């Protein structure tokens, strides 16, 4: 892996005969350690000006093919690669909670997040539990509560829905051990309230893995702070959706480039709300 942006400042060296230094930026292609990746993707500190007025920090992590597909035959795995999966694991290990739509839970066969020894000390120092909570965003609660996601998590899985959700399904979710939170007055979730409701449960470092519909709703509501996009060197063709599929916005939401890493033809980009 190598960093393409921002490049480190070249080392200061004695000038050549023509008066210019000989130092060059270090863009060596090598495998980064988990600690290096964790530093590269660290959440902004609570006093960072970027977090001014925000109850937490919501970042997204998605992968896309060169032709804009968010998945292939319903799953993102065919677009992924070894480096993408390392970054996927690091982003999860840094988060308090992973926010995901119910359809993605069903399609991708979500399981509870696992504890990783490599991040145990880092999480403990940050006051985090052994693994992030999985937060499932759903309106109708059309979920199988007998799955390991609900019956075997290290920390309780959260079901995030609206106050108008079916009462019998809410009761079933709670009976299965899930924590049910309401972030909307109607049937579904108000995306603008997601970060605030989860912050009330101590989840400030948030990661969403989509899918495209949920991510589109979050962006349209102005709720997304950071976009981590892996661009895979493949063309999927087909009719897969883009990484965001939501209501149109009056003015396109603008983000600023924060970093670009590269490995094996994959580009790992990170954008922050500008």
């Amino acid at each position: 892996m190598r960093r393409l942006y921002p490049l480190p400042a070249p080392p200061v060296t004695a000038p050549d005969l023509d008066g210019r230094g000989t130092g060059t930026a270090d863009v060596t292609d090598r495998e980064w350690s988990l600690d290096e990746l964790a530093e590269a993707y660290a959440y902004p500190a609570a006093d960072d000006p970027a977090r001014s007025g925000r109850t937490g920090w919501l970042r997204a992590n998605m992968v896309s093919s060169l032709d804009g597909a968010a998945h292939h035959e319903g799953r993102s795995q065919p677009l992924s690669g070894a480096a993408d999966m390392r970054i996927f694991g690091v982003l999860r290990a840094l988060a308090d909670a992973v926010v995901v739509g119910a359809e993605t839970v069903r399609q991708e066969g979500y399981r509870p997040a696992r504890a990783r020894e490599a991040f145990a000390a880092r999480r403990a120092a940050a006051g985090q539990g052994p693994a992030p909570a999985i937060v499932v965003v759903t309106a109708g609660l059309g979920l199988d509560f007998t799955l390991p996601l609900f019956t075997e998590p290290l920390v309780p899985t959260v079901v995030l829905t609206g106050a108008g959700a079916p009462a019998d399904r809410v009761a079933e979710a709670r009976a299965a051990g899930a924590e049910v939170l309401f972030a909307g007055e109607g049937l579904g979730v108000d995306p603008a309230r997601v970060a605030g409701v989860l912050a009330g449960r101590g989840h400030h470092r948030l990661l969403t893995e989509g899918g495209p519909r949920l991510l589109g709703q979050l962006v349209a509501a102005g709720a997304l702070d950071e976009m981590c996009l892996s661009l895979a060197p493949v063309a999927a063709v087909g009719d897969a959706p883009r990484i965001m599929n939501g209501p149109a916005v009056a003015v396109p939401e603008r983000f600023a480039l924060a970093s670009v890493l590269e490995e094996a033809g994959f580009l790992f980009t990170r954008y922050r709300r500008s």
Side-chain angles (χ1 to χ4, degrees):
M1 180 170 288
R2 56 196 178 121
R3 184 187 297 275
L4 301 184
Y5 179 84
L7 289 175
V12 177
T13 63
D16 292 337
L17 292 178
D18 61 3
R20 293 178 293 186
T22 58
T24 58
D26 179 12
V27 292
T28 303
D29 191 1
R30 59 181 177 81
E31 183 169 321
W32 285 27
S33 70
L34 293 179
D35 282 339
E36 287 176 303
L37 287 173
E39 290 301 321
Y41 284 95
Y43 280 84
D47 59 354
D48 190 312
R51 286 186 55 175
S52 176
R54 315 292 285 188
T55 57
W57 189 264
L58 176 59
R59 67 164 39 137
N61 180 36
M62 298 288 281
V63 62
S64 169
S65 67
L66 293 176
D67 53 324
H71 56 66
H72 180 65
E73 296 183 345
R75 301 191 66 227
S76 59
Q77 190 277 332
L79 305 182
S80 187
D84 183 52
M85 291 308 298
R86 287 203 308 277
I87 290 174
F88 172 89
V90 168
L91 293 180
R92 278 198 164 198
L94 296 176
D96 296 334
V98 177
V99 183
V100 63
E103 184 60 25
T104 298
V105 166
R106 290 187 286 264
Q107 287 186 348
E108 300 278 358
Y110 263 59
R111 297 183 62 84
R114 60 187 178 90
R116 299 182 62 186
E117 182 61 32
F119 291 93
R122 184 182 290 269
R123 290 187 66 85
Q128 297 172 302
I134 302 295
V135 179
V136 184
V137 177
T138 175
L141 283 79
L143 301 160
D144 183 351
F145 296 116
T146 67
L147 293 176
L149 178 61
F150 301 99
T151 62
E152 301 176 8
L154 280 174
V155 293
T157 293
V158 176
V159 172
L160 194 62
T161 189
D168 59 332
R169 297 298 291 167
V170 169
E172 189 173 349
R174 286 175 170 156
E179 181 180 8
V180 180
L181 301 178
F182 299 112
E185 300 306 319
L187 182 64
V189 165
D190 177 355
R193 293 176 58 179
V194 168
V197 168
L198 293 177
R201 286 296 189 272
H203 301 316
H204 298 275
R205 291 161 286 229
L206 304 176
L207 170 68
T208 179
E209 296 169 354
R213 184 168 177 269
L214 173 60
L215 186 52
Q217 292 172 337
L218 291 168
V219 170
L224 189 70
D225 298 300
E226 183 178 320
M227 180 74 225
C228 298
L229 175 62
S230 300
L231 184 62
V234 300
V237 198
D239 58 358
R242 299 182 300 175
I243 63 167
M244 299 183 195
N245 180 17
V249 294
V251 178
E253 195 76 17
R254 182 166 293 278
F255 289 75
L257 182 63
S259 67
V260 182
L261 306 177
E262 185 275 336
E263 182 171 312
F266 281 79
L267 294 180
F268 303 101
T269 67
R270 189 164 57 91
Y271 292 84
R272 282 186 173 186
R273 174 185 301 281
S274 59

